[in-house]
Amino acid sequence: MSSKLRIIVTGLVGLYPVGGVAWDYLQYVIGLAQLGHDVYYHEDTWSWPYHPLNKTYTSEGNYSAQYIRDFFNHYAPELLERWHYLHLHSTSFGMNQAEFDEVARTADVFLNVSGACIIPDNLSSRCVKIFLDTDPGYNQLMLSERFDWSENVERWCTQVAAHDQHFTYAENIYSTKCIIPKVDFEWKTTRMPVVMDLWEQVARVEPPQMEAWTTVMTWNAFKGKLVYKGVEYKSKGSEFEKVLSLPQHTSVPLKVAVGGVNAPLARLANAGWNVVDGPTVTLTPESYQKFIANSRGELSSAKHVYVAMSSGWFSCRSACYLAGARPVVVQDTGFTEVFPVGEGLLTFKTQEEAVAAIYNVEANYTLHAKTARDIAYEYFDSEKVLRNFIEKVNH
């Protein structure tokens, strides 16, 4: 491959037009472009997009398209002509179909982040198609067990297999502690890229002493039971239960921005959490950054499947908190084998450990904030992460 690649990056920004999702996928586009590659964003999920203001799925594509356009206009105007949102596999927004077809025909890399998009028909035969697993454990169990409660599961498994290379956020996938099934794929490890200069403004201002520790989360249980070798692996809610009474054991305010269905909002509030609506308070990329900027740090559990399988997964959201010089206290998924912990980034397995970690940070906040930003530079800087990623693609 040449040093300058034509890369198509996919994502779910049109499907879920909220701040955190936009940062998850579009930092790939900006980061790869900053490395000098010829990069395009493409989205074709064949699904009705969610409209966060109306809180419903819609057959219209205009809101989603405008959302993507606004992101590039604000954060990367040089990429404003380089996105294609194919709504319901029929209506093009951004680039027209003929323009995108020409990009597909000449692409070197098709990077299917989260494996969410349909592989375009007219990709060049020499284009390397990459499936990037951002939900480790869940995806491998789906590939292994093919649960009949999952709609179109066979078609999805066939689509995953149609990629040339498979990457994962399960950084421990080859560790003896990790019990995620490999399902006959040769997994290469990678992690979330953060475009550090886009978080500099957040990092520059330390939050006031009594701001809340926060997180943004989707409570949802899976659509069915994730059972493997007789064990059920669960989503995030079951792990958050372990720290539910945390506000009663610490003097710092705690806030949770929750999205999804069946979240026990009243129970969270009764336990002392300041509960806000996730999609509303982090609606735009700007408001998502503002939410992090107004946070003292992040406190969060992880999905049970990530923890129980010792995946080594690390949250895209937590990487953004670190980039904004906000200390992070999160449940250990086995990533302590990969990242330095104890300063700026602290882990817990129990509620008592979470309380101790918060006190540890507050006792020397400036040091922990600086170390948080240093960790982001060392481990999540898009320049390093994506350069490493491209090297792995080539070998």
mmCIF file of all heavy atoms in Angstrom, residues 234-259:
data_model
loop_
_atom_site.group_PDB
_atom_site.id
_atom_site.type_symbol
_atom_site.label_atom_id
_atom_site.label_comp_id
_atom_site.label_asym_id
_atom_site.label_seq_id
_atom_site.Cartn_x
_atom_site.Cartn_y
_atom_site.Cartn_z
ATOM 1 N N LYS A 234 -24.230 -9.980 31.015
ATOM 2 C CA LYS A 234 -25.237 -8.908 31.012
ATOM 3 C C LYS A 234 -24.667 -7.580 30.531
ATOM 4 O O LYS A 234 -23.488 -7.465 30.222
ATOM 5 C CB LYS A 234 -25.824 -8.770 32.423
ATOM 6 C CG LYS A 234 -26.520 -10.047 32.888
ATOM 7 C CD LYS A 234 -27.039 -9.922 34.307
ATOM 8 C CE LYS A 234 -27.662 -11.235 34.756
ATOM 9 N NZ LYS A 234 -28.093 -11.168 36.162
ATOM 10 N N SER A 235 -25.545 -6.590 30.504
ATOM 11 C CA SER A 235 -25.192 -5.260 30.013
ATOM 12 C C SER A 235 -24.682 -4.379 31.156
ATOM 13 O O SER A 235 -24.134 -4.879 32.135
ATOM 14 C CB SER A 235 -26.409 -4.640 29.333
ATOM 15 O OG SER A 235 -26.067 -3.448 28.684
ATOM 16 N N LYS A 236 -24.895 -3.084 31.057
ATOM 17 C CA LYS A 236 -24.277 -2.152 32.004
ATOM 18 C C LYS A 236 -25.075 -1.979 33.298
ATOM 19 O O LYS A 236 -24.500 -1.785 34.368
ATOM 20 C CB LYS A 236 -24.101 -0.791 31.326
ATOM 21 C CG LYS A 236 -23.220 0.161 32.112
ATOM 22 C CD LYS A 236 -22.759 1.310 31.261
ATOM 23 C CE LYS A 236 -21.810 2.202 32.041
ATOM 24 N NZ LYS A 236 -21.237 3.259 31.220
ATOM 25 N N GLY A 237 -26.396 -2.045 33.173
ATOM 26 C CA GLY A 237 -27.238 -1.806 34.339
ATOM 27 C C GLY A 237 -26.908 -2.687 35.527
ATOM 28 O O GLY A 237 -26.847 -2.230 36.673
ATOM 29 N N SER A 238 -26.640 -3.973 35.255
ATOM 30 C CA SER A 238 -26.370 -4.911 36.359
ATOM 31 C C SER A 238 -25.095 -4.539 37.109
ATOM 32 O O SER A 238 -24.980 -4.764 38.308
ATOM 33 C CB SER A 238 -26.267 -6.349 35.828
ATOM 34 O OG SER A 238 -25.139 -6.496 34.989
ATOM 35 N N GLU A 239 -24.120 -3.955 36.402
ATOM 36 C CA GLU A 239 -22.874 -3.534 37.056
ATOM 37 C C GLU A 239 -23.046 -2.201 37.777
ATOM 38 O O GLU A 239 -22.439 -1.963 38.824
ATOM 39 C CB GLU A 239 -21.737 -3.433 36.030
ATOM 40 C CG GLU A 239 -21.323 -4.766 35.451
ATOM 41 C CD GLU A 239 -20.911 -5.774 36.519
ATOM 42 O OE1 GLU A 239 -19.853 -5.581 37.138
ATOM 43 O OE2 GLU A 239 -21.654 -6.747 36.736
ATOM 44 N N PHE A 240 -23.893 -1.331 37.230
ATOM 45 C CA PHE A 240 -24.124 -0.037 37.884
ATOM 46 C C PHE A 240 -24.827 -0.234 39.233
ATOM 47 O O PHE A 240 -24.651 0.568 40.150
ATOM 48 C CB PHE A 240 -24.943 0.895 36.983
ATOM 49 C CG PHE A 240 -24.712 2.350 37.273
ATOM 50 C CD1 PHE A 240 -23.657 3.034 36.677
ATOM 51 C CD2 PHE A 240 -25.523 3.042 38.157
ATOM 52 C CE1 PHE A 240 -23.428 4.374 36.964
ATOM 53 C CE2 PHE A 240 -25.300 4.378 38.448
ATOM 54 C CZ PHE A 240 -24.241 5.045 37.844
ATOM 55 N N GLU A 241 -25.605 -1.318 39.333
ATOM 56 C CA GLU A 241 -26.271 -1.641 40.611
ATOM 57 C C GLU A 241 -25.251 -1.719 41.750
ATOM 58 O O GLU A 241 -25.552 -1.403 42.893
ATOM 59 C CB GLU A 241 -26.997 -2.992 40.496
ATOM 60 C CG GLU A 241 -28.142 -3.017 39.514
ATOM 61 C CD GLU A 241 -29.426 -2.429 40.069
ATOM 62 O OE1 GLU A 241 -29.457 -2.064 41.256
ATOM 63 O OE2 GLU A 241 -30.394 -2.327 39.292
ATOM 64 N N LYS A 242 -24.020 -2.157 41.428
ATOM 65 C CA LYS A 242 -22.982 -2.328 42.455
ATOM 66 C C LYS A 242 -22.559 -1.006 43.085
ATOM 67 O O LYS A 242 -22.014 -0.977 44.185
ATOM 68 C CB LYS A 242 -21.757 -3.029 41.856
ATOM 69 C CG LYS A 242 -22.018 -4.460 41.426
ATOM 70 C CD LYS A 242 -20.780 -5.079 40.791
ATOM 71 C CE LYS A 242 -21.053 -6.515 40.357
ATOM 72 N NZ LYS A 242 -19.882 -7.103 39.662
ATOM 73 N N VAL A 243 -22.751 0.106 42.349
ATOM 74 C CA VAL A 243 -22.363 1.420 42.886
ATOM 75 C C VAL A 243 -23.580 2.333 43.068
ATOM 76 O O VAL A 243 -23.447 3.543 43.217
ATOM 77 C CB VAL A 243 -21.321 2.117 41.973
ATOM 78 C CG1 VAL A 243 -19.998 1.367 42.002
ATOM 79 C CG2 VAL A 243 -21.811 2.253 40.541
ATOM 80 N N LEU A 244 -24.752 1.719 43.075
ATOM 81 C CA LEU A 244 -25.993 2.500 43.129
ATOM 82 C C LEU A 244 -26.063 3.399 44.364
ATOM 83 O O LEU A 244 -26.494 4.547 44.300
ATOM 84 C CB LEU A 244 -27.203 1.562 43.085
ATOM 85 C CG LEU A 244 -28.531 2.255 42.781
ATOM 86 C CD1 LEU A 244 -28.600 2.662 41.317
ATOM 87 C CD2 LEU A 244 -29.702 1.333 43.101
ATOM 88 N N SER A 245 -25.610 2.885 45.519
ATOM 89 C CA SER A 245 -25.729 3.675 46.758
ATOM 90 C C SER A 245 -24.491 4.540 47.021
ATOM 91 O O SER A 245 -24.325 5.085 48.111
ATOM 92 C CB SER A 245 -25.989 2.754 47.953
ATOM 93 O OG SER A 245 -24.871 1.904 48.166
ATOM 94 N N LEU A 246 -23.643 4.680 46.019
ATOM 95 C CA LEU A 246 -22.388 5.442 46.173
ATOM 96 C C LEU A 246 -22.575 6.867 46.717
ATOM 97 O O LEU A 246 -21.794 7.310 47.562
ATOM 98 C CB LEU A 246 -21.652 5.483 44.835
ATOM 99 C CG LEU A 246 -20.185 5.923 44.857
ATOM 100 C CD1 LEU A 246 -19.343 4.977 45.691
ATOM 101 C CD2 LEU A 246 -19.631 5.969 43.439
ATOM 102 N N PRO A 247 -23.617 7.611 46.268
ATOM 103 C CA PRO A 247 -23.771 8.983 46.772
ATOM 104 C C PRO A 247 -23.893 9.066 48.301
ATOM 105 O O PRO A 247 -23.570 10.094 48.901
ATOM 106 C CB PRO A 247 -25.053 9.479 46.098
ATOM 107 C CG PRO A 247 -25.156 8.663 44.851
ATOM 108 C CD PRO A 247 -24.614 7.308 45.223
ATOM 109 N N GLN A 248 -24.345 7.975 48.920
ATOM 110 C CA GLN A 248 -24.515 7.985 50.378
ATOM 111 C C GLN A 248 -23.185 7.754 51.114
ATOM 112 O O GLN A 248 -23.125 7.855 52.331
ATOM 113 C CB GLN A 248 -25.527 6.897 50.776
ATOM 114 C CG GLN A 248 -26.937 7.201 50.284
ATOM 115 C CD GLN A 248 -27.704 5.942 49.932
ATOM 116 O OE1 GLN A 248 -27.632 4.951 50.653
ATOM 117 N NE2 GLN A 248 -28.433 5.982 48.818
ATOM 118 N N HIS A 249 -22.127 7.473 50.347
ATOM 119 C CA HIS A 249 -20.842 7.137 50.974
ATOM 120 C C HIS A 249 -19.724 8.117 50.620
ATOM 121 O O HIS A 249 -18.567 7.886 50.955
ATOM 122 C CB HIS A 249 -20.430 5.718 50.578
ATOM 123 C CG HIS A 249 -21.429 4.676 50.974
ATOM 124 N ND1 HIS A 249 -21.523 4.173 52.260
ATOM 125 C CD2 HIS A 249 -22.418 4.079 50.255
ATOM 126 C CE1 HIS A 249 -22.516 3.294 52.311
ATOM 127 N NE2 HIS A 249 -23.067 3.222 51.110
ATOM 128 N N THR A 250 -20.093 9.189 49.926
ATOM 129 C CA THR A 250 -19.083 10.188 49.568
ATOM 130 C C THR A 250 -19.696 11.584 49.647
ATOM 131 O O THR A 250 -20.898 11.749 49.438
ATOM 132 C CB THR A 250 -18.501 9.928 48.160
ATOM 133 O OG1 THR A 250 -17.576 10.958 47.838
ATOM 134 C CG2 THR A 250 -19.575 9.907 47.089
ATOM 135 N N SER A 251 -18.875 12.559 49.938
ATOM 136 C CA SER A 251 -19.391 13.926 50.074
ATOM 137 C C SER A 251 -19.407 14.671 48.739
ATOM 138 O O SER A 251 -19.945 15.765 48.642
ATOM 139 C CB SER A 251 -18.528 14.695 51.082
ATOM 140 O OG SER A 251 -17.170 14.670 50.656
ATOM 141 N N VAL A 252 -18.798 14.085 47.686
ATOM 142 C CA VAL A 252 -18.785 14.792 46.395
ATOM 143 C C VAL A 252 -20.097 14.526 45.657
ATOM 144 O O VAL A 252 -20.651 13.426 45.753
ATOM 145 C CB VAL A 252 -17.581 14.370 45.512
ATOM 146 C CG1 VAL A 252 -16.259 14.615 46.219
ATOM 147 C CG2 VAL A 252 -17.694 12.921 45.064
ATOM 148 N N PRO A 253 -20.631 15.526 44.943
ATOM 149 C CA PRO A 253 -21.866 15.294 44.190
ATOM 150 C C PRO A 253 -21.632 14.363 43.004
ATOM 151 O O PRO A 253 -20.560 14.398 42.389
ATOM 152 C CB PRO A 253 -22.270 16.698 43.721
ATOM 153 C CG PRO A 253 -21.077 17.556 43.881
ATOM 154 C CD PRO A 253 -20.155 16.910 44.852
ATOM 155 N N LEU A 254 -22.612 13.531 42.716
ATOM 156 C CA LEU A 254 -22.514 12.570 41.615
ATOM 157 C C LEU A 254 -23.702 12.756 40.670
ATOM 158 O O LEU A 254 -24.853 12.837 41.102
ATOM 159 C CB LEU A 254 -22.514 11.134 42.156
ATOM 160 C CG LEU A 254 -21.387 10.763 43.125
ATOM 161 C CD1 LEU A 254 -21.612 9.381 43.710
ATOM 162 C CD2 LEU A 254 -20.040 10.803 42.401
ATOM 163 N N LYS A 255 -23.402 12.803 39.382
ATOM 164 C CA LYS A 255 -24.439 13.030 38.371
ATOM 165 C C LYS A 255 -24.345 11.958 37.294
ATOM 166 O O LYS A 255 -23.251 11.585 36.880
ATOM 167 C CB LYS A 255 -24.252 14.414 37.732
ATOM 168 C CG LYS A 255 -25.296 14.762 36.667
ATOM 169 C CD LYS A 255 -24.925 16.025 35.892
ATOM 170 C CE LYS A 255 -25.062 17.274 36.738
ATOM 171 N NZ LYS A 255 -24.859 18.499 35.922
ATOM 172 N N VAL A 256 -25.475 11.475 36.845
ATOM 173 C CA VAL A 256 -25.477 10.491 35.758
ATOM 174 C C VAL A 256 -26.454 10.953 34.670
ATOM 175 O O VAL A 256 -27.600 11.292 34.953
ATOM 176 C CB VAL A 256 -25.819 9.078 36.280
ATOM 177 C CG1 VAL A 256 -27.175 9.020 36.956
ATOM 178 C CG2 VAL A 256 -25.725 8.048 35.164
ATOM 179 N N ALA A 257 -25.954 11.007 33.440
ATOM 180 C CA ALA A 257 -26.788 11.338 32.278
ATOM 181 C C ALA A 257 -27.179 10.022 31.628
ATOM 182 O O ALA A 257 -26.334 9.319 31.078
ATOM 183 C CB ALA A 257 -26.012 12.218 31.307
ATOM 184 N N VAL A 258 -28.457 9.667 31.735
ATOM 185 C CA VAL A 258 -28.905 8.327 31.335
ATOM 186 C C VAL A 258 -29.776 8.376 30.094
ATOM 187 O O VAL A 258 -30.661 9.217 29.972
ATOM 188 C CB VAL A 258 -29.729 7.658 32.465
ATOM 189 C CG1 VAL A 258 -29.949 6.183 32.177
ATOM 190 C CG2 VAL A 258 -29.056 7.815 33.807
ATOM 191 N N GLY A 259 -29.499 7.445 29.184
ATOM 192 C CA GLY A 259 -30.364 7.235 28.036
ATOM 193 C C GLY A 259 -30.814 5.782 28.031
ATOM 194 O O GLY A 259 -30.373 4.985 28.854
#
